[in-house]
Amino acid sequence: MTLIDHLDQLQTLAAAVPDPGSGEAPPGVGDKVLTLLKWIANLAVAACVGGVLVTAGKMALAHRRGDDTNVSALGWVFAACILIGSASAVVSALI
């Protein structure tokens, strides 16, 4: 077999593999999954707000003692907030 024959076989094999495209949720499941994702998103936002509040409280106590070790923790909380806020766009870009 020549290289052309191998390429033709690969092309035929690739054509046989179905392309799911953007997909479609099974009947009756799409709304439940969307509701679950909304709950998870709301809990993640609440965790972000809680993380900022806890980190700010730690920073206030540390500042009173003359320490500034919690500044990096605030950066990590902000990074998590950005990632949670852009999760849908990140996933859409990857799909």
Side-chain angles (χ1 to χ4, degrees):
M1 286 184 100
T2 65
L3 180 60
I4 302 294
D5 293 333
H6 285 293
L7 291 175
D8 285 340
Q9 283 182 343
L10 286 175
Q11 186 177 10
T12 304
L13 181 62
V17 176
D19 180 17
S22 62
E24 196 173 297
V29 176
D31 292 336
K32 293 177 184 176
V33 170
L34 189 59
T35 301
L36 179 66
L37 288 175
K38 286 180 181 180
W39 274 89
I40 292 171
N42 284 329
L43 291 173
V45 170
C48 285
V49 172
V52 170
L53 292 174
V54 167
T55 305
K58 285 182 181 180
M59 287 176 70
L61 292 174
H63 177 70
R64 188 173 178 112
R65 289 181 298 205
D67 190 12
D68 63 350
T69 58
N70 292 310
V71 175
S72 65
L74 187 62
W76 283 110
V77 171
F78 285 159
C81 292
I82 291 169
L83 186 59
I84 288 170
S86 63
S88 178
V90 169
V91 171
S92 294
L94 294 175
I95 291 181

